[in-house]
Amino acid sequence: MFELSQPLERETIRINSVNRSVEILDQRALPHCVAVLSLQNEEQACEAIRSMAVRGAPLIGITGAAAMALACSKDSSNKALNEAAERVKSARPTAVNLAWAVDKVLQALLSLPASQREAAAWDSAESILEQERRMSLKIGKYALGIIEALYRKLGRPVRLLTHCNAGALATVGPGTATAGFYAAHQKGIPIEVYADETRPRLQGAMTAWELCSCGVPVSLIADNAGGHLMREGLIDAVFVGADRIAANGDTANKIGTYLKALSAADNNIPFYVAAPVSTFDASLKDGSGIPIEERSGDEIRRVYGADENGLPASVFITSRSQKVMNPGFDVTPSRLITAFVTDQGVFAANELEEIWKDGKDAEQ
Ligand SMILES: CSC[C@H]1O[C@H](OP(=O)(O)O)[C@H](O)[C@@H]1O
């Protein structure tokens, strides 16, 4: 069993620019089975993103950058790099981090002579990994301020709800939505986390697993229980991640996030979106333009887990021909979001232009 002694850091992906290798933690069978996959080429990296062997907006961005390095090692011509960029960006459409990272690497390479491109591609991928790790840690610092203020006000453990996995498993640091949870726990501020299981891929079970492995008190709940807990006064704040945030603050995140935001608003509970600047998309004025990924219907028809021997297994919970719909994300309007906790500070929706006035890559 893979034991987490501390938030995963650089364990979800390893990029080695010396031996030109990429290894990922295969998340498809977590927490039952832990496997590390070596990605040998761009195609394998794209499949890892499509199949959600790697998942989480920042992490798929980093994996996209690694895919570009693998592609460049094979063929560093303009044509090959541009074609690879389009293939990688199409692996999953909603998280803007993927396109941001791929385009960042592509633009860096096209400005160089072919002889310098391979080394630069691997350096760029490693640099993006390190940048996302620093962003995750900074988000934790700002989120800690919010949680600590709640603790001082309440004088008891702070009860926090989160949806999906915007944790260490979705980044290369202590996560985005969970970054403040880890920071508060490490500072000795008592918290109790409630993690939505998050049908259909049940990423929330991974949130519970990673938090529990680090000693953070966490309860896994059915998605439909979140509103009830809020109405019963059992939740003090909600922290979620994001896949793409439009200029007005409309936020795409895992399906079900919008329902949690509605419940929070109806019960006057603060609702925070935690995300690095790589998740903001200023080119979209609002959330209507955010592409929503439609995933395989089998994710609804089947449940994936482990058999009595701990080996990956799945069972059908519907007829094999059951018609289903499986949108992977929804959009929460900014009016339902209390504030955005970023690596550059905490911003209300009407302050977001502060984030990119110096350019999205304010941190070099
Ligand atoms: C910091 S992870 C952000 C975001 O990504 C997840 O989506 P998926 O598991 O499909 O890759 C989820 O929406 C998280 O909130």
Side-chain angles (χ1 to χ4, degrees):
M1 180 66 182
F2 184 87
E3 291 302 331
L4 292 177
S5 58
Q6 60 184 2
L8 287 170
E9 209 165 31
R10 295 178 65 102
E11 289 299 320
T12 48
I13 188 170
R14 285 197 181 96
I15 298 172
N16 186 319
S17 59
V18 175
N19 59 24
R20 305 285 197 258
S21 68
V22 181
E23 288 184 321
I24 61 164
L25 175 62
D26 184 346
Q27 302 195 22
R28 288 171 295 184
L30 285 179
H32 316 290
C33 172
V34 179
V36 174
L37 296 183
S38 174
L39 305 179
Q40 302 293 322
N41 53 50
E42 172 236 315
E43 292 76 12
Q44 289 181 6
C46 289
E47 180 54 28
I49 294 169
R50 272 191 296 270
S51 65
M52 294 174 68
V54 282
R55 45 147 299 281
L59 184 56
I60 65 177
I62 296 163
T63 308
M68 288 302 291
L70 289 164
C72 188
S73 288
K74 179 181 174 184
D75 183 340
S76 62
S77 68
N78 285 17
K79 181 177 186 295
L81 290 175
N82 280 297
E83 289 172 354
E86 290 313 305
R87 286 192 299 268
V88 179
K89 287 192 283 189
S90 68
R92 289 188 77 189
T94 303
V96 70
N97 312 60
L98 180 56
W100 168 79
V102 168
D103 287 341
K104 188 177 173 76
V105 174
L106 179 65
Q107 294 318 312
L109 300 187
L110 295 181
S111 66
L112 295 172
S115 62
Q116 297 174 20
R117 288 179 174 181
E118 182 178 12
W122 287 95
D123 288 346
S124 181
E126 279 196 321
S127 167
I128 287 171
L129 184 154
E130 285 304 331
Q131 183 180 345
E132 288 292 359
R133 187 168 62 78
R134 288 193 300 273
M135 285 181 176
S136 177
L137 290 166
K138 288 176 181 174
I139 290 170
K141 181 182 69 174
Y142 293 113
L144 172 61
I146 294 170
I147 296 170
E148 193 160 18
L150 271 172
Y151 175 57
R152 284 197 300 268
K153 174 185 168 190
L154 296 168
R156 59 158 173 77
V158 183
R159 298 170 302 195
L160 303 161
L161 182 138
T162 191
H163 189 70
C164 197
N165 176 265
L169 287 168
T171 62
V172 286
T176 58
T178 62
F181 301 175
Y182 286 118
H185 181 69
Q186 285 164 358
K187 191 171 183 180
I189 295 169
I191 62 173
E192 292 168 9
V193 178
Y194 295 87
D196 287 345
E197 62 180 356
T198 315
R199 281 269 304 154
R201 291 294 293 261
L202 305 175
Q203 291 95 323
M206 294 198 283
T207 301
W209 175 64
E210 67 167 79
L211 289 172
C212 184
S213 297
C214 292
V216 179
V218 53
S219 301
L220 185 62
I221 62 173
D223 292 320
N224 295 327
H228 169 69
L229 268 62
M230 289 192 239
R231 184 166 164 74
E232 292 298 303
L234 299 176
I235 302 296
D236 301 311
V238 180
F239 283 83
V240 298
D243 291 85
R244 192 184 296 238
I245 303 168
N248 74 337
D250 290 350
T251 296
N253 196 52
K254 185 51 51 195
I255 192 77
T257 303
Y258 172 49
L259 292 175
K260 294 300 165 343
L262 287 171
S263 298
D266 191 51
N267 293 282
N268 299 313
I269 294 170
F271 187 90
Y272 296 104
V273 170
V277 290
S278 53
T279 309
F280 287 81
D281 182 354
S283 73
L284 296 179
K285 66 179 176 55
D286 60 42
S288 62
I290 299 177
I292 299 298
E293 180 183 17
E294 181 74 25
R295 291 192 60 87
S296 162
D298 264 358
E299 291 186 352
I300 304 285
R301 296 187 196 93
R302 305 170 75 145
V303 172
Y304 297 83
D307 63 18
E308 56 280 358
N309 300 313
L311 297 175
S314 72
V315 293
F316 275 94
I317 56 173
T318 70
S319 72
R320 294 166 187 250
S321 58
Q322 177 57 55
K323 184 179 179 185
V324 298
M325 269 186 74
N326 186 17
F329 301 89
D330 57 26
V331 176
T332 297
S334 59
R335 60 182 168 80
L336 297 177
I337 298 169
T338 306
F340 297 84
V341 187
T342 79
D343 52 287
Q344 296 182 23
V346 181
F347 299 86
N350 62 6
E351 298 170 326
L352 291 180
E353 64 187 23
E354 290 291 312
I355 289 178
W356 49 73
K357 70 179 186 305
D358 302 326
K360 245 176 78 164
D361 292 348
E363 191 216 47
Q364 296 306 324

